[in-house]
């Protein structure tokens, strides 16, 4: 019968039923499959995983494994769903494991695993969960052995050539490489470090070494999605549009970032030999520059800019939104030198001085975007 029930029949609930319909469902990997892993947590809250920690005993070939809880899922593939379910396991006290002596010539890598034996399926003659060592093959460049079915890798342990109890025992300070992975209740945030597996469903969350990530359906993406700075080249026009300036060979750079409805921007314009500047103050044809993102409204003060010429004359201008798509500059102070400020107010071809090649405008602003 493909429909399984738990705690319903008075005498017909099998072991498979119990494993398949657990009420405390953990991280799913398929419609009926569960992610194998260790339940996170520590006594002090300092560590992601404290369960099944392997700690070597100095000057020996032995180590201890700490208590914990875990789940091991039977093999489960798309279209071929295992009827065996997931095996919940608890280690309630420390256990000691012993490693074989090192090879006379080469080092090897052993794999410490949590393993389930189920005679009903594997014919092993055993029905139990154990912590055991899968011995690696000695080699000039050793590799960890492949984990058998129904195992959860815990640690790789490097066993050097000629290792034995005493002064040449396993070098525990460098021998251990963690392989533990976690599993949590469905909907919980999964703690991972080196895990490269795919997510189970769009909207699943995980904590990757402190960075919250969300599964999009195709990839893990940082959450919230943080904005990135982008290039932007302002378009140069005037308030009347009668005689338009032209950048020519000016050097222009601009960057902006949008976070929600807040926009931060900065820009720099160094005028060149072929730059033209439009008309002067007598026509009130003020310079305008395009905003990188449409503003929510005409805003009277969004930032400041520094205006300069090669002989160190300086002026400061206030930036304001002339329209929801543009900003203008209004002179607020100046530092005259050989070239004094000849006009005040808005900026144009003759204000605050007669512009020429080598002059610069550099500024930045923050404003509210339309959306």
């Amino acid at each position: 019968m493909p429909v399984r029930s738990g705690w319903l029949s008075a005498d017909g609930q099998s072991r498979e039923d119990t494993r398949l319909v657990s009420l405390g469902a953990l991280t799913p990997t398929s419609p009926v499959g569960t992610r194998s892993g260790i339940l996170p947590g520590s006594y002090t809250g300092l560590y992601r995983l404290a369960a099944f920690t392997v700690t070597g005993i100095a000057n020996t070939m032995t180590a201890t494994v700490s208590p914990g809880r875990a789940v091991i899922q039977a093999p489960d593939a798309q279209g071929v769903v295992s009827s065996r379910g997931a095996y919940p396991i608890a280690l309630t006290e420390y256990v000691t494991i012993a490693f074989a002596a090192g090879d006379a010539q080469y080092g090897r890598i052993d794999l410490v695993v949590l393993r389930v034996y189920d005679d009903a399926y594997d014919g092993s003659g055993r029905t139990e969960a154990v912590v055991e060592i899968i011995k690696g093959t000695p080699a000039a460049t050793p590799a960890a052995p492949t984990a058998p079915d129904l195992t959860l890798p815990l640690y790789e342990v490097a066993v050097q050539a000629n290792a034995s109890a005493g002064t040449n025992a396993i070098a525990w300070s460098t021998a251990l490489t963690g392989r533990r992975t976690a599993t949590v209740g469905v909907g919980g945030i999964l703690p991972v470090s080196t895990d490269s597996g795919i997510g189970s469903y769009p909207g699943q969350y995980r904590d990757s070494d402190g960075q919250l990530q969300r599964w999009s359906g195709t990839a893990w993406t940082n959450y919230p999605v943080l904005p990135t700075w982008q290039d932007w080249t302002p378009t140069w026009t005037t308030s009347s549009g009668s005689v338009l300036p032209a950048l020519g060979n000016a050097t222009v750079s601009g960057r902006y970032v949008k976070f929600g409805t807040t926009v931060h921007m900065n820009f720099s314009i160094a005028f060149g030999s072929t730059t033209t500047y439009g008309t002067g103050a007598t026509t009130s044809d003020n310079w305008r520059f395009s905003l990188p993102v449409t503003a929510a409204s005409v805003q009277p003060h969004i930032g400041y800019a520094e205006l300069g010429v090669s002989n160190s004359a300086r002026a400061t201008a206030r930036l304001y939104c002339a329209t929801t798509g543009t900003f203008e500059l209004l002179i607020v102070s100046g530092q005259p030198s050989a070239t004094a400020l000849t006009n005040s107010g808005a900026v144009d071809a003759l204000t605050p001085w007669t512009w020429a090649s080598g002059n610069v405008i550099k500024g930045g602003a923050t404003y509210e975007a339309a959306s």
Side-chain angles (χ1 to χ4, degrees):
M1 183 81 175
V3 179
R4 308 288 187 123
S5 62
W7 312 115
L8 176 61
S9 171
D11 56 7
Q13 182 172 336
S14 69
R15 289 173 294 178
E16 291 90 345
D17 291 337
T18 305
R19 291 193 296 266
L20 284 165
V21 299
S22 60
L23 296 178
L26 298 180
T27 305
T29 56
S30 72
V32 294
T34 291
R35 174 186 168 98
S36 294
I38 294 168
L39 275 65
S42 62
Y43 291 106
T44 62
L46 288 175
Y47 307 104
R48 294 176 175 228
L49 297 178
F52 299 97
T53 298
V54 172
T55 304
I57 301 173
N59 300 319
T60 75
M61 300 293 290
T62 60
T64 61
V65 182
S66 64
R69 293 180 295 165
V71 173
I72 297 180
Q73 170 69 49
D76 175 32
Q78 185 172 356
V80 186
V81 179
S82 170
S83 63
R84 297 163 68 178
Y87 294 77
I89 300 164
L91 176 62
T92 57
E93 58 186 55
Y94 283 86
V95 296
T96 300
I97 53 177
F99 294 81
D103 181 72
Q105 183 178 10
Y106 295 119
R108 71 172 193 272
I109 298 176
D110 292 350
L111 188 63
V112 181
V113 300
L114 183 61
R115 185 171 187 175
V116 170
Y117 289 92
D118 190 344
D119 181 62
Y121 294 96
D122 59 29
S124 63
R126 304 169 65 180
T127 304
E128 60 179 336
V130 297
V131 175
E132 71 176 26
I133 299 167
I134 309 297
K135 186 177 178 182
T137 301
T141 305
T146 301
D149 286 343
L150 281 184
T151 60
L152 184 64
L154 302 177
Y155 284 84
E156 294 177 7
V157 179
V159 180
Q160 71 272 24
N162 293 312
S164 62
T167 57
N168 197 39
I170 293 174
W172 290 110
S173 62
T174 57
L176 295 169
T177 300
R179 290 279 302 276
R180 293 174 298 174
T181 56
T183 190
V184 295
V186 62
I189 296 176
L190 183 70
V192 300
S193 294
T194 58
D195 194 315
S196 59
I198 67 171
S200 302
Y201 54 90
Q204 181 184 8
Y205 289 90
R206 73 178 189 181
D207 183 312
S208 179
D209 277 337
Q211 173 63 60
L212 187 63
Q213 296 180 326
R214 181 183 183 275
W215 180 250
S216 68
T218 58
W220 289 105
T221 58
N222 290 346
Y223 183 87
V225 178
L226 299 177
T228 57
W229 283 86
Q230 302 179 61
D231 291 326
W232 150 66
T233 300
T235 300
W236 190 14
T237 59
T238 66
S239 56
S240 71
S242 58
V243 181
L244 293 179
L247 289 168
N249 62 352
T251 301
V252 183
S253 65
R255 298 277 285 169
Y256 78 95
V257 63
K258 182 177 182 292
F259 190 84
T261 57
T262 299
V263 177
H264 302 287
M265 71 176 198
N266 60 63
F267 66 96
S268 173
I269 303 174
F271 298 122
S273 60
T274 62
T275 301
T276 57
Y277 304 94
T279 55
T282 56
T283 64
S284 298
D285 200 13
N286 304 330
W287 286 352
R288 281 187 176 179
F289 299 92
S290 61
L291 291 165
V293 178
T294 301
S297 61
V298 173
Q299 299 167 42
H301 183 193
I302 62 173
Y304 288 97
E306 180 186 65
L307 290 62
V309 298
S310 58
N311 61 6
S312 298
R314 291 286 186 270
T316 300
R318 172 169 57 85
L319 273 61
Y320 63 96
C321 291
T323 68
T324 56
T326 63
F327 69 90
E328 294 184 12
L329 298 86
L330 183 67
I331 303 298
V332 294
S333 66
Q335 176 190 321
S337 61
T339 300
L341 305 184
T342 56
N343 293 293
S344 61
V347 176
D348 59 25
L350 302 177
T351 309
W353 44 66
T354 301
W355 290 85
S357 177
N359 294 180
V360 297
I361 300 177
K362 296 180 180 180
T366 297
Y367 65 93
E368 180 186 356
S371 60

